[in-house]
Amino acid sequence: MAAKPKRINLALQGGGAHGAFTWGVLDAVLEDARLEIEAISGTSAGAMNAAAVAEGLVNDGRQGARACLRRFWTGVADSTMSGGRLADPLVTFLRTWGMKDWRPLWTDAWSRLMSPYDLNPMNLNPLRDLLNSLIDFEQVQTCDKIQIFVAATNVESGRTRIFKRSELTADHVMASACLPFLFHAVEIDGQAYWDGGFVGNPPLFPFFYESESRDVIVVQINPIERPGIPKSAPEIMDRVREVTFNASLMREFRNIAFVTRLIDEGRLEGTRHKKILTHRIDGGAVLMAYGSSSRMSADVAFFEELFGKGRAAAEAWIAENFDALGHHATLDVAAILKNPDVGV
C-alpha cells in the first residue's frame, strides 16, 4: 500500500515577474504525489500563484492546478504583449522601462514628485480586470482542498492583514500587490491597503495556529545577502527594496528560532506552541543575476525560463530533503540570522 503523502505548507514571496520561478516550484510540487499542500501563504505574485492553485484544484485536482498556473502566466504575457487589456499607456510604459537599466532611476524620482493619485485620478487598474479574467475567484473561495493566507498592509495602522481563501477576490490580491508609488491604495470594507511585502513577505505565522503540518517551505525569490556594496543610484535603490521586503521574513525567522530554542529547553510544555520545521527553496541566488528591473518584464519567454529554473530547484530540493519532512528542519534559521543568541 502506498504511503500517505507528506503534508506541507508553502510560503511564497512576492517579486513581480520573478514569481514565475515560484510557478515552476509549484509545478514540481504538484506533480509529486508524495507531497500534499495543506496551506499556502503568499504576498503579491505569491498570492496570485496561490489563487491559481486553488482554482485549479477545484476543477481538476493537481493537474488542474498546474494547468491553471500555466494559463495565468501565459495570460499575463499575452494580455500585455498583444494589445490586451493591460496594454494601456501606463502599463506599456512600465513594461518598456522595466527592461532598461537607467529608466528605473528616472521613474523612481518621478514617482516621488507625482503620486498615482495625480497621474491616475480615475484609479484605472487593468491588472484587476486581468486577474478577474484569468482567475475565477468564486471557485477559489469554494476550494476546500487547501488553505490560503494572503498578506496586505493596513495603510493607517501599519499592521498586517491576512485575507483567507473563503473571502478572496481580485481586490484582496491587488491589495497584496499594491505598490504605493504606482497604484492607489486598495480599499476593502472601508480600510485602505498597500503591498503585503512591507509586513509579511511571505507571512509565516498563520501556519503556527491554523495548519496541522509543522513543515513550512519558504519559496524565497528575494536574496537576503548580496555581495558587494551598491554604489550607483539604481543599485542602491534595488538593495534597499530587497532589504525592506525581506525584513518581515527575517523577523519571523527570529521568532521561529526563539520559540524553537524554548521548546528544546522544555520551557513551553503545556502551551499551544509547536515546533516549526522550516525549509527553503532558494531562488535568490538564481534570480540575482537578472537584476531588479526584470521584475517588470512581461515576456513569455522570460516567464518560461524562470519556470524551468524554479522547477529544477524544486526537484533538486525534494530529492535531497524529502526524507527530512516531518522529522527535522533543513534550514538553519539561527545561522541565517548569524546571531546565536536569537532570543535577544
Side-chain angles (χ1 to χ4, degrees), residues 79 85 128-136:
S79 294
R85 275 181 282 188
R128 182 189 295 110
D129 295 335
L130 178 63
L131 279 173
N132 274 319
S133 70
L134 294 178
I135 297 177
D136 186 336

Side-chain angles (χ1 to χ4, degrees), residues 20-260:
F21 177 92
T22 304
W23 164 32
V25 171
L26 289 167
D27 191 76
V29 170
L30 288 162
E31 187 181 48
D32 195 324
R34 299 174 301 164
L35 299 173
E36 179 183 347
I37 304 172
E38 180 180 357
I40 299 178
S41 74
T43 301
S44 192
M48 297 176 193
N49 277 320
V53 168
E55 181 194 346
L57 288 173
V58 170
N59 288 327
D60 191 22
R62 293 169 180 260
Q63 293 305 314
R66 296 174 68 195
C68 193
L69 282 163
R70 175 165 289 280
R71 185 171 68 249
F72 172 76
W73 283 98
T74 56
V76 169
D78 290 345
S79 294
T80 306
M81 304 301 287
S82 61
R85 275 181 282 188
L86 277 185
D88 70 352
L90 173 63
V91 177
T92 300
F93 173 70
L94 292 175
R95 173 168 55 80
T96 55
W97 73 249
M99 298 308 292
K100 306 295 183 182
D101 289 336
W102 60 271
R103 291 186 179 177
L105 173 60
W106 179 85
T107 306
D108 194 78
W110 166 71
S111 70
R112 282 159 173 74
L113 295 174
M114 300 185 69
S115 84
Y117 295 87
D118 300 319
L119 296 168
N120 183 16
M122 300 299 293
N123 194 21
L124 301 176
N125 194 330
L127 182 55
R128 182 189 295 110
D129 295 335
L130 178 63
L131 279 173
N132 274 319
S133 70
L134 294 178
I135 297 177
D136 186 336
F137 283 93
E138 289 186 1
Q139 292 194 341
V140 172
Q141 292 172 8
T142 61
C143 178
D144 60 359
K145 301 176 185 296
I146 193 172
Q147 297 186 75
I148 293 178
F149 309 106
V150 168
T153 304
N154 186 295
V155 175
E156 295 184 75
S157 71
R159 296 189 178 94
T160 311
R161 172 63 193 272
I162 299 295
F163 299 111
K164 298 184 180 181
R165 188 213 68 244
S166 59
E167 62 185 323
L168 280 189
T169 66
D171 281 341
H172 295 91
V173 175
M174 286 305 306
S176 183
C178 179
L179 293 170
F181 290 115
L182 294 180
F183 303 111
H184 291 214
V186 178
E187 294 193 16
I188 299 172
D189 297 331
Q191 297 292 312
Y193 296 97
W194 282 339
D195 195 298
F198 296 115
V199 290
N201 191 26
L204 305 183
F205 65 88
F207 301 134
F208 305 165
Y209 309 110
E210 302 197 44
S211 174
E212 292 182 5
S213 173
R214 296 189 299 152
D215 288 289
V216 175
I217 303 175
V218 178
V219 182
Q220 187 165 354
I221 58 178
N222 297 302
I224 290 178
E225 297 186 7
R226 181 182 289 272
I229 300 174
K231 295 184 178 178
S232 72
E235 290 172 343
I236 291 170
M237 287 189 299
D238 287 348
R239 187 57 183 149
V240 167
R241 291 188 182 103
E242 287 174 349
V243 172
T244 299
F245 283 104
N246 274 328
S248 59
L249 179 62
M250 295 295 284
R251 182 175 62 251
E252 293 211 67
F253 278 169
R254 182 174 295 276
N255 292 337
I256 289 172
F258 180 51
V259 171
T260 297

Side-chain angles (χ1 to χ4, degrees), residues 2-8 28-29 32-36 62 215 217 277 279 281 314-330:
K4 290 180 62 176
K6 292 188 175 184
R7 305 187 80 191
I8 59 173
V29 170
D32 195 324
R34 299 174 301 164
L35 299 173
E36 179 183 347
R62 293 169 180 260
D215 288 289
I217 303 175
L277 307 180
H279 315 275
I281 298 175
E315 289 174 340
W317 189 92
I318 293 169
E320 182 178 352
N321 298 289
F322 178 81
D323 291 341
L325 292 171
H327 298 288
H328 62 85
T330 60

